Amino acid sequence: MKQNKDRKKNIYQKFHWKLTLFATVVTGCILVGATLLCLSLSERELERNQYISFLNNVNTTLSHMENQAVISHQWLSRLEASCQFMIQIYDNGTPLYYQQLHHSGGELSVMEKASALAREEHGMDIFAAPSSDKLLHHVEYAMEDAGVTYYASAATLPMEKGYLGILLLHSTENLQKDMQKQRLIFLLADLGAVAVLFLFFWFFTGRLIRPLMESRARQTRFISAASHELRAPLTVIMSALSALETASGNDRQRFIAMMQSEGKRMSRLIEDMLFLAGSDARSWRFSMEETELDTLILDVFEKYETAAAKTKRQLTVRLPEQELPPCLCDPQRITQVLSILIDNALSYTPEDSRITLSLSASEHRFLLKVSDNGPGIPDENKEKVFERFYRAEDSRTGKEHFGLGLCIAREIVEAHGGRIQVTDNVPQGAVFSIMLPDT
């Protein structure tokens, strides 16, 4: 038995893990996909803005050079710092001494590659005189060197005494570093989000499958209890059948009566189980009609008055003095509920006990009560009594009750939109209260 429970527990644990991982993976993939899309759009926008800024700086720089007769080293230094340019200028094909002072060998090598690319692929030779002696010509392009992308602008600027060959180079290394940082931030954010999603889905799916586990446990208990309850009468019937083969006369009639009694008991149990199965499947059908509850209670009282007197219990009824409006309900089902409660009270209270059936109404609801002054129900059992096949320890040997009556009563009342509960009576005993809506 313990191994079976452990096996079922392991099955639910595996299902819990798989459901959590599935939900996390699916949601994580959607999150990562959305992140990659946002990251792609963001990087594309950053590159676009960087290139537009480069073009604006190029136009500003070339316009300034076009209007200046003298280009100073100080201005070039400020320009390189502010625009993040590497500048190479040739006066009639001769390089200015500036670039040798301010650029390293690696930077000069990159600029040579850029000027060669401008000449070979874009037709702009900064070492050759321009075809027009009045117009500024320039071309912009991108190139890569050692994994770094550069924006380049090659231009020829006619001057009074010859021309200037100009190469402006802008490295996107800082931009790429910023994008790498952004990718790392997005990655960490996604990992954190996936971890949070995993924890969320772990608790969420745990709460989601908990009712399934509880339902499976209740189903297992139900089947076990039903099997136990059916086994007892079957055992008696089989024993009586075996004894009937050799019995005669009065013994034979006694065994037949015994089998009939146990057969009826099994029939009642099966009817109750089918009733609850209908409740679980929500296949009940109710005949709702306007019902005078005081008349219904009086009918139930008359039905059980004689039985109560025979068992030496006092059954009384208490009705309100004012006239109550009719209640929309199924009178046969409500009668069944009251019958279950009174039958329990007659069975579990000692002789000379008093059982009271009462009716009242207040604030859009009807209140029906079945109270007794018997031993009462302990607080820890007040909810358990409505469970299937639950019976108090001192009543487990009784054959008239299977522990399904109160469960059936609760199902009927809740199907009416009402509520049933048990409380303590004063000074002793129990009170079963049924609250039904008046609409």
Side-chain angles (χ1 to χ4, degrees):
M1 185 71 176
K2 183 177 179 181
Q3 291 179 349
N4 189 33
K5 288 183 177 179
D6 291 340
R7 185 176 62 84
K8 291 179 180 178
K9 185 177 180 181
N10 291 333
I11 291 175
Y12 279 109
Q13 286 178 346
K14 290 180 180 178
F15 177 67
H16 188 191
W17 273 103
K18 289 181 179 179
L19 189 60
T20 301
L21 290 175
F22 175 76
T24 303
V25 168
V26 171
T27 311
C29 289
I30 296 174
L31 176 64
V32 171
T35 300
L36 291 176
L37 178 61
C38 293
L39 189 61
S40 175
L41 294 175
S42 175
E43 291 183 355
R44 189 176 302 175
E45 186 66 18
L46 287 174
E47 291 175 347
R48 177 176 174 274
N49 291 338
Q50 185 86 340
Y51 188 67
I52 291 175
S53 177
F54 167 74
L55 293 179
N56 290 336
N57 290 332
V58 166
N59 291 328
T60 301
T61 301
L62 294 179
S63 297
H64 182 83
M65 289 184 178
E66 194 174 15
N67 296 321
Q68 296 295 320
V70 177
I71 299 175
S72 66
H73 284 209
Q74 185 178 4
W75 179 79
L76 289 175
S77 297
R78 289 200 307 268
L79 180 64
E80 283 193 335
S82 62
C83 297
Q84 298 181 350
F85 279 158
M86 288 187 290
I87 301 176
Q88 193 173 44
I89 300 177
Y90 294 87
D91 186 4
N92 295 315
T94 302
L96 297 183
Y97 187 61
Y98 171 83
Q99 48 240 38
Q100 294 180 359
L101 291 175
H102 294 83
H103 296 149
S104 65
E107 292 174 338
L108 291 174
S109 176
V110 172
M111 287 190 286
E112 288 178 3
K113 181 178 179 180
S115 61
L117 187 64
R119 181 177 61 255
E120 295 170 1
E121 295 189 6
H122 301 282
M124 177 61 68
D125 188 358
I126 61 175
F127 301 104
S131 58
S132 173
D133 59 353
K134 293 182 179 180
L135 298 177
L136 169 67
H137 297 277
H138 61 96
V139 63
E140 284 72 41
Y141 54 95
M143 58 167 284
E144 286 192 7
D145 184 74
V148 179
T149 300
Y150 294 88
Y151 297 144
S153 177
T156 55
L157 177 61
M159 304 294 287
E160 292 182 1
K161 296 181 180 180
Y163 71 96
L164 291 180
I166 304 168
L167 180 66
L168 303 176
L169 207 59
H170 174 74
S171 173
T172 63
E173 186 174 6
N174 290 335
L175 175 63
Q176 292 175 355
K177 288 181 179 179
D178 291 339
M179 288 194 296
Q180 290 293 337
K181 290 180 182 179
Q182 183 174 261
R183 292 171 184 173
L184 180 60
I185 292 173
F186 272 73
L187 175 62
L188 294 176
D190 278 352
L191 291 176
V194 169
V196 172
L197 284 172
F198 178 83
L199 293 176
F200 169 77
F201 283 119
W202 174 261
F203 290 105
F204 178 77
T205 55
R207 292 177 63 87
L208 188 67
I209 66 174
R210 190 175 298 124
L212 299 178
M213 296 176 63
E214 293 173 354
S215 176
R216 179 64 180 270
R218 287 195 300 268
Q219 182 183 19
T220 302
R221 291 196 299 269
F222 181 84
I223 294 174
S224 176
S227 301
H228 175 76
E229 295 289 349
L230 288 170
R231 188 182 298 115
L234 278 175
T235 301
V236 174
I237 291 173
M238 295 303 296
S239 299
L241 279 173
S242 178
L244 192 63
E245 294 178 354
T246 57
S248 61
N250 294 333
D251 289 339
R252 187 178 183 85
Q253 293 299 322
R254 181 168 59 86
F255 289 132
I256 292 175
M258 185 183 300
M259 287 188 293
Q260 290 176 340
S261 175
E262 294 300 319
K264 291 179 180 178
R265 180 166 175 254
M266 288 181 63
S267 177
R268 289 196 305 272
L269 174 59
I270 293 172
E271 287 178 1
D272 288 346
M273 292 172 63
L274 290 175
F275 189 91
L276 290 174
S279 171
D280 293 338
R282 296 293 186 267
S283 61
W284 278 356
R285 293 184 179 180
F286 290 90
S287 299
M288 307 296 284
E289 59 184 73
E290 298 286 344
T291 304
E292 302 291 341
L293 290 180
D294 50 359
T295 302
L296 184 147
I297 285 181
L298 287 175
D299 291 341
V300 174
F301 170 75
E302 292 176 357
K303 175 182 175 182
Y304 279 92
E305 185 179 18
T306 302
K310 287 183 179 180
T311 57
K312 299 180 180 180
R313 274 93 171 165
Q314 181 183 1
L315 180 63
T316 60
V317 64
R318 186 183 303 159
L319 299 175
E321 296 180 358
Q322 71 275 17
E323 183 178 356
L324 298 181
C327 175
L328 182 62
C329 66
D330 185 332
Q332 293 184 352
R333 294 300 189 187
I334 299 302
T335 298
Q336 182 181 2
V337 173
L338 294 174
S339 298
I340 290 171
L341 298 180
I342 294 175
D343 188 55
N344 279 357
L346 292 174
S347 300
Y348 298 143
T349 56
E351 292 183 0
D352 299 325
S353 296
R354 185 175 65 256
I355 302 169
T356 303
L357 182 60
S358 62
L359 170 66
S360 62
S362 63
E363 295 184 359
H364 308 294
R365 69 176 183 177
F366 296 98
L367 181 62
L368 298 84
K369 291 183 178 181
V370 176
S371 57
D372 62 67
N373 60 348
I377 300 174
D379 291 339
E380 62 271 16
N381 293 340
K382 282 184 170 60
E383 284 298 324
K384 294 180 180 179
V385 295
F386 295 103
E387 295 179 1
R388 300 179 182 186
F389 289 108
Y390 177 82
R391 290 183 295 179
E393 293 297 330
D394 56 357
S395 66
R396 290 205 179 266
T397 56
K399 292 187 177 182
E400 298 300 322
H401 295 274
F402 303 105
L404 295 177
L406 291 178
C407 179
I408 292 174
R410 182 176 65 177
E411 296 287 348
I412 293 174
V413 172
E414 291 182 351
H416 279 77
R419 186 163 58 93
I420 184 172
Q421 64 181 17
V422 58
T423 55
D424 293 329
N425 199 3
V426 179
Q428 70 175 26
V431 180
F432 284 88
S433 303
I434 304 168
M435 287 152 279
L436 297 175
D438 65 352
T439 54

